Every structure is written in structure tokens, then in C-alpha cells.
Amino acid sequence: MFTGIISAVGHIQSLEKRGDDMRVTVAVGKLPMHDVALGDSIATNGVCLTVVDYSSTHYSADVSAETLRYTGFADYRVGSRVNLEKALAANGRLGGHIVSGHVDGVGTVTRVIDHTKYVEIWVKAPDSLAKYIAHKGSITTDGVSLTVNQVNGAEFMLWVIPHTLEETVIGDYKVGTKINLEVDLIARYLERLLQGEHAAKPTGSSIDEAFLAEHGFLNKK
């Protein structure tokens, strides 16, 4: 479990294809490694990776074909900068929001507007994620916990302060940048809970307008 509060920015040191999977080695920058052990989790641009090798300057992890398919890792190159956060300790402070490190999809930056005290960034999410993105709700972008300030269909807007721009890879964003998105975990569980007994039905059953009306969530005309 993570918080979305980035500890350091590292960069991809090497990428090694292993069949359909990949071994990635990340130079950790200023991320302290004294308390890291084999098997620990480190969120890398929001993707929870398991440490299989490490030193004071780097760690290596295996990235599955599934992760390559559903995250930005397929497009990363040696030198690509990545946000880093170690897993939350049980006695740690939850400074952002509950982040699982399981990316839901890849969004695209559509606008970057510079203001005096912040930068306004618009992101187009995959259509399938639009229902989970709410005004003033939480979203994770490349592992960073942020607040959604506007929503327009599957597009949403973020206000990012200078400190966040300086301490994360968000400062590198430009129109067309692909970013890992993780929606609010509570929204995911709420959707499943609302399905009730229908949750046991085979994949393909989903919550739609007819389902909501049947169960009293919409006014029947």
C-alpha cells in the first residue's frame, strides 16, 4: 500500500527483455535504500514493483507482460525519469490517499497551461475509467496523489503547485505525454458493492441505468 506522496525521482538504468516480460533496473536518486530488503515493494511511476536485487544506488524488478500491456512501461526507455515511493509502513503517515500501486489505465496529457502559482494540466483518461473520476475526488497520476479540480467527460483537470512540479516527473509533462492512472480505490469497491447478488454473475454483467433504476437508485418516470 502507498500514499501517493513521492519520495524521490529516479531514472530507468536498464531494460532487459525476458520473453514476454522485462527486468527493469532503476537508479534511485535520493531515495534512501538502507531499509529496503528483497521482496519489498516500490511504486515506480505508480506501478507496484517487487525488489529482486538492490544496492544503495539502484534496484531491479521484474515487469510482467500484463503490466507492460496496461501501463506506460511499454514506452519507457533507458533514462526515462520515474517517481519513486516505498510501501507505507504500518506506523507511517498517510499524507495523500490510499494507493494500491495497481494501475487502471494510461491517460494522455491534452493541455498544459502555466499560471502564476500553479500549472493547470488536463488529462484524457480511457473512457472505461471516466465513471470513477469525480470532481474534488482523488486520482493517482504516475504515482502522485492529486485532487481532480474539473471533469468533462473522460477528461479531467489538475492544479499542480511548483513544489510538486519540482519533486516529481509531472514537471516533464507536455501535450501528448502518456501517464499511469489509478482511480480511487473506494470507487472501485463501491461499484462492486452496488452489484449485490449480481456480482456473482459471469463477467459481462455490469451496473447500467436499468440496474440502478431497478434497485431504487434512479427515480422511475
Side-chain angles (χ1 to χ4, degrees), residues 2-218:
F2 306 92
T3 69
I5 304 300
I6 301 305
S7 302
V9 173
H11 69 269
I12 303 295
Q13 187 170 299
S14 68
L15 296 165
E16 178 189 346
K17 286 289 288 180
R18 297 191 171 191
D20 293 332
D21 303 333
M22 182 180 290
R23 170 70 60 90
V24 58
T25 299
V26 178
V28 299
K30 65 180 183 180
L31 186 74
M33 297 289 286
H34 65 277
D35 57 350
V36 171
L38 292 179
D40 281 359
S41 298
I42 298 179
T44 308
N45 262 11
V47 181
C48 178
L49 296 181
T50 300
V51 175
V52 297
D53 183 50
Y54 71 99
S55 73
S56 61
T57 62
H58 78 275
Y59 66 90
S60 297
D62 292 324
V63 181
S64 69
E66 179 84 356
T67 300
L68 291 171
R69 226 179 351 258
Y70 290 103
T71 73
F73 262 94
D75 298 321
Y76 295 167
R77 300 291 180 265
V78 171
S80 295
R81 292 186 352 125
V82 287
N83 293 320
L84 304 176
E85 182 192 354
K86 290 184 286 189
L88 176 67
N91 62 348
R93 178 178 296 174
L94 185 61
H97 73 282
I98 298 173
V99 176
S100 69
H102 301 155
V103 171
D104 293 300
V106 177
T108 304
V109 175
T110 57
R111 284 177 278 173
V112 178
I113 304 169
D114 225 345
H115 295 275
T116 304
K117 296 183 178 179
Y118 65 92
V119 171
E120 177 183 335
I121 298 176
W122 285 84
V123 178
K124 172 67 168 62
D127 289 350
S128 60
L129 299 185
K131 59 186 175 181
Y132 304 111
I133 301 171
H135 180 230
K136 295 303 180 183
S138 296
I139 195 161
T140 308
T141 62
D142 281 337
V144 183
S145 172
L146 294 171
T147 300
V148 176
N149 286 284
Q150 286 188 42
V151 181
N152 182 15
E155 195 174 19
F156 63 93
M157 187 266 279
L158 307 165
W159 286 338
V160 186
I161 61 174
H163 176 78
T164 303
L165 295 171
E166 293 166 6
E167 297 297 327
T168 73
V169 302
I170 295 178
D172 300 337
Y173 286 3
K174 57 186 178 181
V175 173
T177 298
K178 303 291 186 182
I179 59 177
N180 293 325
L181 301 177
E182 181 185 331
V183 299
D184 187 7
L185 193 63
I186 296 173
R188 280 286 192 194
Y189 280 111
L190 181 59
E191 178 189 40
R192 187 71 171 168
L193 181 63
L194 286 174
Q195 291 180 18
E197 62 186 25
H198 291 264
K201 293 185 177 180
T203 303
S205 301
S206 61
I207 295 177
D208 55 19
E209 189 172 349
F211 174 90
L212 292 173
E214 178 187 348
H215 290 82
F217 291 100
L218 295 178

